[in-house]
C-alpha cells in the first residue's frame, strides 16, 4: 500500500475534526526519509488542537496497524492552525480575525484597515480605515474578487479604531452615514 495522499488523510480526519466543531483547512504531506510529516490545519484554539491531535494520532496508528494505511518507516503528525499569512477566504476567517489589521487587494487597489463586524448573512464585512487623521468605515462584499492577509502588529491598536471594530455591522454602517 502506498503512502496515503492528502485526500485520504482528509477523508480519514474529517469526522474527528468536525466532531470538535471545526472544518479541516488543509492537509500537507512531506515525505522525507525515515520521518515523513503529515500536517493537518484546523481553525481552532490550542486546547482543541491538542485533543484533535491525540485522536488523529490514535486513528492513524490503528489504521496503520490494521494495514489500511502505510506511512513507511514512520511519520510525525502536526496539527496546527493555518497560520497568520494564510489568506482570508471564508467568513469564519474574517470573524476570527476581528480587530486585526488586514491588507486587502480588490482588483488593482490595495486597502489596509482593521477588520470589523461581519454582516448577519456573512456576505460582507466592515473595514475600518484611516485616511490621514480621519477614520472611515467601509463595507467589503466578500463575494467580490479579493485577496486579504492579516498584517502582524506589535503595538496595541488605537482605541478609536477598536471602538468601531467592536460595533455591530449595522452600527458601523450607521456611524459611517452619520460621519461622512
Amino acid at each position: 500500500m502506498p503512502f496515503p495522499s492528502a485526500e485520504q488523510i482528509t477523508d480519514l480526519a474529517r469526522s474527528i475534526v468536525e466532531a470538535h466543531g471545526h472544518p479541516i483547512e488543509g492537509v500537507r504531506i512531506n515525505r522525507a526519509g525515515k520521518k515523513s510529516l503529515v500536517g493537518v490545519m484546523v481553525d481552532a484554539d490550542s486546547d482543541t488542537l491538542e485533543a484533535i491531535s491525540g485522536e488523529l494520532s490514535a486513528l492513524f496508528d490503528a489504521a496503520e496497524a490494521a494495514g489500511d494505511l502505510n506511512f513507511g518507516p514512520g511519520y510525525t503528525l502536526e496539527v496546527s492552525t493555518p497560520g497568520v499569512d494564510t489568506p482570508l477566504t471564508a467568513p469564519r476567517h474574517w470573524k476570527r480575525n476581528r480587530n486585526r489589521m488586514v491588507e486587502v487587494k480588490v482588483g488593482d487597489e490595495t486597502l489596509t484597515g482593521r477588520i470589523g463586524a461581519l454582516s448577519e448573512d456573512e456576505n460582507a464585512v466592515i473595514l475600518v480605515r484611516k485616511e490621514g487623521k480621519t477614520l472611515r468605515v467601509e463595507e467589503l462584499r466578500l463575494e467580490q474578487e479579493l485577496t486579504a492577509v492579516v498584517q502582524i502588529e506589535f503595538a496595541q491598536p488605537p482605541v478609536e479604531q477598536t471602538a468601531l471594530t467592536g460595533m455591530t455591522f449595522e452600527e458601523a454602517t450607521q456611524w459611517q452615514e452619520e460621519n461622512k
Side-chain angles (χ1 to χ4, degrees), residues 86-160:
T86 303
L88 307 179
T89 58
R92 68 180 176 277
H93 299 152
W94 292 90
K95 189 180 287 186
R96 176 176 36 105
N97 286 290
R98 188 170 182 173
N99 296 318
R100 297 193 67 189
M101 190 62 72
V102 67
E103 186 173 275
V104 184
K105 186 168 173 121
V106 183
D108 294 334
E109 187 178 16
T110 300
L111 307 172
T112 300
R114 197 164 298 285
I115 300 171
L118 202 57
S119 64
E120 196 170 300
D121 62 7
E122 297 189 338
N123 289 328
V125 67
I126 293 296
L127 186 67
V128 176
R129 297 181 55 217
K130 189 169 183 181
E131 292 180 350
K133 294 185 179 193
T134 306
L135 286 179
R136 268 190 67 181
V137 169
E138 291 184 36
E139 179 181 324
L140 279 180
R141 303 298 305 169
L142 297 182
E143 70 267 4
Q144 66 186 332
E145 285 277 326
L146 57 85
T147 304
V149 178
V150 170
Q151 302 300 295
I152 305 280
E153 293 182 283
F154 296 104
Q156 287 287 77
V159 173
E160 58 275 3

Side-chain angles (χ1 to χ4, degrees), residues 14-31:
R14 183 173 286 118
S15 63
I16 288 175
V17 174
E18 289 178 356
H20 285 273
H22 301 282
I24 294 176
E25 295 286 335
V27 170
R28 77 175 183 285
I29 296 173
N30 183 10
R31 294 188 63 183

Side-chain angles (χ1 to χ4, degrees), residues 54-84:
E55 292 175 36
L56 288 179
S57 182
L59 174 70
F60 294 164
D61 290 348
E64 191 170 36
D68 297 331
L69 287 179
N70 181 4
F71 289 108
Y75 74 100
T76 298
L77 175 63
E78 180 182 283
V79 179
S80 64
T81 61
V84 72

